[in-house]
Amino acid sequence: MRITLINPNASRAMTAKIAAAAREAAAPDVEIVAVCADNGPAAIESHYDEAHASVAIAELILADQAAGGSDGYVIACFGDPGVDAARELVDVPVIGIAEAAMHVAVLSGRSFGIVTTLSRTLGRARDLLLRHGFERACVAAYGTGIPVLDLEDATGAALDEIAGWCERAVHHDQADVIVLGCAGMADLCRRLTDRIGVPVVDGVAAAVGLVTAMGRMGVGTSKRDEYARPPRLA
């Protein structure tokens, strides 16, 4: 099985970091191909960035399809940009890491808290909670104030800041599980789980697991109506 992991920003360092987390979660017979959008935004920290990234994601999937395609796609940005458009382009599974992480979180505990990067992205996170029906399960959502690209090496003060907000969600808001709200936090799960004492979910690993499971089940993206091929696609 081949899964293409798309980092919608243009950071090759972050792409490598995300790929390592995905490969650690993948089964031995699953090939992870990680790509980033060279013509995408440097980081995704606004609605404008998401719109820019969505176009880059579609172009990467079309290029992959022209080269033979993959058995599934993971969109490695917590805003899940371009997921609906990507699903129109293929009949295999396409999963965004926010949706994946939320699904796994509610299987792990009754409630969860989200810890993400900038506070301006919390509105998008709340939109996704409502869309996927997890607004009652999510008891907290915090922005750390850490820019996305600063997570290329999230050690020292950055790690302490993230951990502090995770601890607040657990002890103040009674979250059973923590969802990390950025693909750039993918390598922090084990350290944070050990430090905080509750499960910490990384959406990259969650999405890889779900795409793999769907592929083995033979469940892809429905082409019945909304996710049918775009009628004006050249």
Side-chain angles (χ1 to χ4, degrees):
M1 179 181 294
R2 170 192 166 105
I3 297 174
T4 291
L5 173 74
I6 298 175
N7 173 19
N9 74 35
S11 169
R12 294 188 180 277
M14 187 163 288
T15 302
K17 177 179 178 176
I18 296 168
R23 291 181 180 121
E24 186 174 350
D29 62 340
V30 175
E31 177 190 8
I32 302 292
V33 178
V35 296
C36 66
D38 290 334
N39 60 336
I44 301 173
E45 298 174 328
S46 67
H47 295 296
Y48 176 85
D49 290 337
E50 283 201 4
H52 187 181
S54 296
V55 174
I57 290 165
E59 290 174 347
L60 285 168
I61 290 178
L62 288 171
D64 184 67
Q65 288 289 297
S70 298
D71 299 300
Y73 297 88
V74 170
I75 310 302
C77 171
F78 199 76
D80 289 354
V83 168
D84 289 328
R87 287 174 176 165
E88 291 181 332
L89 301 178
V90 297
D91 58 6
V92 297
V94 178
I95 296 184
I97 64 170
E99 183 176 6
M102 293 173 190
H103 277 286
V104 170
V106 297
L107 297 175
S108 184
R110 188 175 182 87
S111 62
F112 66 87
I114 297 171
V115 175
T116 187
T117 53
L118 304 182
S119 61
R120 69 178 294 162
T121 66
L122 291 174
R124 178 61 173 157
R126 294 187 182 102
D127 289 344
L128 292 171
L129 288 166
L130 288 168
R131 171 172 175 168
H132 302 310
F134 295 127
E135 67 275 13
R136 293 180 63 185
C138 183
V139 294
Y142 294 119
T144 62
I146 300 172
V148 169
L149 294 182
D150 284 5
L151 294 171
E152 289 180 354
D153 182 22
T155 57
L159 177 59
D160 289 343
E161 184 72 17
I162 294 166
W165 287 106
C166 292
E167 288 167 346
R168 177 177 174 84
V170 172
H171 299 303
H172 181 268
D173 302 291
Q174 306 301 307
D176 295 333
V177 182
I178 295 297
V179 166
L180 297 179
C182 181
M185 298 178 181
D187 61 335
L188 304 180
C189 276
R190 291 183 180 176
R191 279 178 284 176
L192 290 171
T193 296
D194 291 343
R195 185 163 170 172
I196 299 160
V198 303
V200 177
V201 178
D202 154 46
V204 174
V208 168
L210 290 173
V211 168
T212 302
M214 289 177 69
R216 298 198 195 287
M217 293 167 65
V219 177
T221 299
S222 174
K223 299 285 105 179
R224 185 189 69 84
D225 193 7
E226 180 180 353
Y227 291 140
R229 188 86 170 164
R232 281 171 292 281
L233 183 65

